[in-house]
Each structure stands twice: as C-alpha cells, then as structure tokens.
Amino acid sequence: MEQVFFINPVAGKRDASAELVPRIQAAARQLQLPQPQIVVTQYAGQAREAARQYAASGTPAALYACGGDGTLNELVQGAAGSANVAVGCVPCGSGNDYVRNFGAAGQAPFLDFAAQLQAQPCRVDLLQTSLGIGIDICAAGLDAQVAYGIPKFRRLPGCGGTAAYTLSILQAMLSRFGHKLRVAINGKEHTGTYMMAAICNGGYYGGGYQAAPYAAMDDGLLDIVLVKPISRIQVAGILAKYKAGRHMQDADTIVPEFRSFMTFYRARSVEMQVLDNRPIIATIDGECAPVMELKAEVLPSALNVLLPQPACSSAVIRGQYECPLQAKVR
C-alpha cells in the first residue's frame, strides 16, 4: 500500500513541514518500512485532486492530511466512495475537531508517526450536503456565523482555536440572530424560529464544542440538535454546558432545563429552508457560506479512515461495517 503524507504549510500558526518531515522518515526507518511519499501542498485543492487520482487508479493508498480540518476535508472529498483509499489525519491546525472524536488520548496517537504508519482502517459514514461532503458536522445559524468570523481572530497573537471561537461568539452575540425556518427531518416538517442547528456525523466542532456527545460515525444516522432563540443573558451559561456535551442526559434525551428551547432528532436526512428572506450562514467542517436552503443526508459506509491505537477502539466507531482494506490485510 502506498503511503502519502500531505503537509499543508499554511495550516495552524506556522509551517510544520520542517518538523514533520524528519519525524515521518524516522518512524518509517524505525519500523523498517519503505519511506512514505511526502507532499508539501502548494495550493488549495491539491490534496483533493491527488486523492481523486488515487481513488480512480484503484491502487491501495493511505493518504494522511497533515493540517487542520480543512486539509482533512480535501482528502475526504477526494476519497469519498473509494474502496482502495484510506484517509488519516495528523492534526496541525487551529481547531483539530476531527481527532477530538476519538477518546481521552486526544491528539497524542495522531501525532505518533509510528502509530500512524501502523494505523488500522475503519469504514465510516460521511455527510453529503448542499455545501459539499464532510465527515464531522454541518451547522447553520449562530454557531456557523461564529465559525464565519473565526479566521480574523486566529490571526491575533496567542489566539488559538478555542479562544478565537469564544471571541467570535462575543461578536455574534452583538448582532441579530435567529431565523424563521422550515425544517424537514426524515420528511416530517417543523416550522419555527431557530437560533442554530447542528447536523452531526461526528461529535465536535468550533474548536472543541461537543454538539453530539453520543454520535457514532458508522451508525448510518445523523444526530440533529435544533435550538430556538434564547436571551443573550442565558447564552453564556448554556454554551458552557453545550461545549461540554452536557445538554444531553443520554443518547436520545435533552436535559430537562434545556427542553423548552432545544430539541434532538436522529435521522438519515435533513432539509432546511429560510422563510424570512435573510440568508443564514452554514458551515461544514469549517467551510462557511450564506445560504437560503440547506440539505444534508448521511452516506453510510462511504469512507475508509486510518485510526492509530488507541483511537481505533473509540466508541465513536462501532464496527458496523467492515473496511475492504482491513479485510485484505487479514
């Protein structure tokens, strides 16, 4: 199997290529493996183009995104639906929400290149949306508006993913929020005014906010959280619990104190239409755009992902689908 590391030199606060290249090469020597190919990307979309070429070739390949969630998203888009390509992640960005899905060990297994070169492929679902394909969360409303404003705060000294997210929240709170929406979930319509909506394949977004604490990436379903407008005074306390995933008391139930304004659904598809003639900001895996309509559906078992130990034993992967690459290994 070919192994290729795509390093995004503009991800995060600094170019990580000078540090990563020798570490990747040393791990391969330690394991007595052939040296992987290393590509320092030169332009946006380069990793996506390469992933599509590998997928079309039929050659078994392990492709690693060394960057942020945007770099990972490029490989996900290019490899979606492929049986011969597996996608891994080396977190070097500001948010790194994808790797938060895989347990208490955090980023450590994903920054261990010996573990990465021996990572096990797992088959997971993807999100197909009108904004494109993603692996983690598609959101609309206040939270997406916050994501829309994050880049300018990340340019501030010492302002990482969570700090930039918090500052963008404060800015969004000073603006008008809430949209009248028609929301169809598995074909059943709900009309009302909503502050935000999170459509989740994974659990995390926004630099560590846990929108869907019980989401599984291979169950063929999306976890959906809808939030009606609340007062600005309430927002700070509610966001603290929302960030920690404490808005859910179990896999299907919102905590009692949030039920007057928050609802939860598990479904295969969602459609949203703006009824108040003001575009709503929507985002998928950090990529944002103003829209009047938003559609999202789950793509079951649509991608092979590479997970190093101990991440591959995380509860977010339940092993419902066998990965073709894993079967070949056995």
Side-chain angles (χ1 to χ4, degrees):
M1 178 184 292
E2 293 189 31
Q3 293 178 307
V4 187
F5 288 81
F6 293 89
I7 302 176
N8 181 353
V10 298
K13 292 289 186 179
R14 59 184 175 81
D15 181 357
S17 57
E19 175 189 348
L20 296 185
V21 171
R23 289 178 58 195
I24 294 167
Q25 293 171 339
R29 288 194 297 270
Q30 174 191 339
L31 296 170
Q32 298 183 325
L33 295 174
Q35 284 294 323
Q37 183 181 353
I38 299 174
V39 177
V40 179
T41 58
Q42 302 299 309
Y43 57 89
Q46 182 178 349
R48 178 174 58 248
E49 293 170 4
R52 285 175 176 162
Q53 291 171 1
Y54 275 103
S57 73
T59 302
L63 309 181
Y64 296 87
C66 304
D69 292 321
T71 309
L72 174 65
N73 185 256
E74 286 197 20
L75 289 184
V76 167
Q77 289 184 47
S82 169
N84 59 290
V85 174
V87 173
C89 179
V90 178
C92 304
S94 299
N96 302 317
D97 286 304
Y98 168 74
V99 300
R100 298 177 196 270
N101 287 295
F102 301 104
Q107 296 185 16
F110 296 89
L111 295 172
D112 179 342
F113 287 101
Q116 284 280 24
L117 289 169
Q118 301 174 90
Q120 295 299 306
C122 303
R123 197 75 170 169
V124 299
D125 306 333
L126 292 177
L127 273 164
Q128 173 70 66
T129 80
S130 45
L131 295 178
I133 287 176
I135 195 170
D136 207 350
I137 288 180
C138 177
L142 179 65
D143 42 359
Q145 184 179 339
V146 169
Y148 203 44
I150 284 175
K152 67 178 180 183
F153 291 111
R154 281 186 177 157
R155 291 192 287 269
L156 298 176
C159 193
T162 300
Y165 192 83
T166 301
L167 289 172
S168 192
I169 286 172
L170 294 175
Q171 182 185 57
M173 295 311 301
L174 298 176
S175 65
R176 182 182 177 188
F177 56 84
H179 287 265
K180 188 174 182 181
L181 304 176
R182 179 183 295 118
V183 184
I185 300 175
N186 279 347
K188 184 177 180 181
E189 289 193 356
H190 309 264
T191 300
T193 301
Y194 295 97
M195 183 174 74
M196 62 186 192
I199 304 165
C200 311
N201 183 44
Y204 289 86
Y205 69 151
Y209 282 73
Q210 193 174 16
Y214 296 95
M217 285 184 165
D218 67 347
D219 63 354
L221 295 169
L222 305 173
D223 286 23
I224 302 157
V225 179
L226 299 178
V227 184
K228 293 181 178 180
I230 54 178
S231 73
R232 285 171 170 80
I233 294 175
Q234 290 178 289
V235 167
I238 286 166
L239 280 178
K241 292 185 178 179
Y242 182 71
K243 178 179 180 180
R246 298 204 306 270
H247 55 295
M248 302 288 296
Q249 72 177 33
D250 58 42
D252 302 292
T253 311
I254 299 291
V255 298
E257 65 184 290
F258 285 13
R259 289 177 194 168
S260 62
F261 58 86
M262 185 179 290
T263 49
F264 173 83
Y265 305 89
R266 191 167 279 119
R268 298 185 185 279
S269 65
V270 187
E271 295 186 20
M272 298 173 55
Q273 182 180 6
V274 178
L275 302 179
D276 57 15
N277 297 317
R278 291 185 298 118
I280 191 170
I281 302 297
T283 178
I284 182 163
D285 293 353
E287 301 299 315
C288 304
V291 300
M292 293 299 292
E293 294 184 343
L294 178 65
K295 297 181 179 179
E297 64 178 325
V298 67
L299 299 178
S301 189
L303 183 73
N304 303 313
V305 295
L306 291 161
L307 297 178
Q309 288 284 1
C312 60
S313 59
S314 168
V316 78
I317 303 293
R318 300 180 180 178
Q320 298 198 26
Y321 307 115
E322 182 176 63
C323 172
L325 292 176
Q326 203 166 36
K328 287 181 181 178
V329 171
R330 290 200 296 267

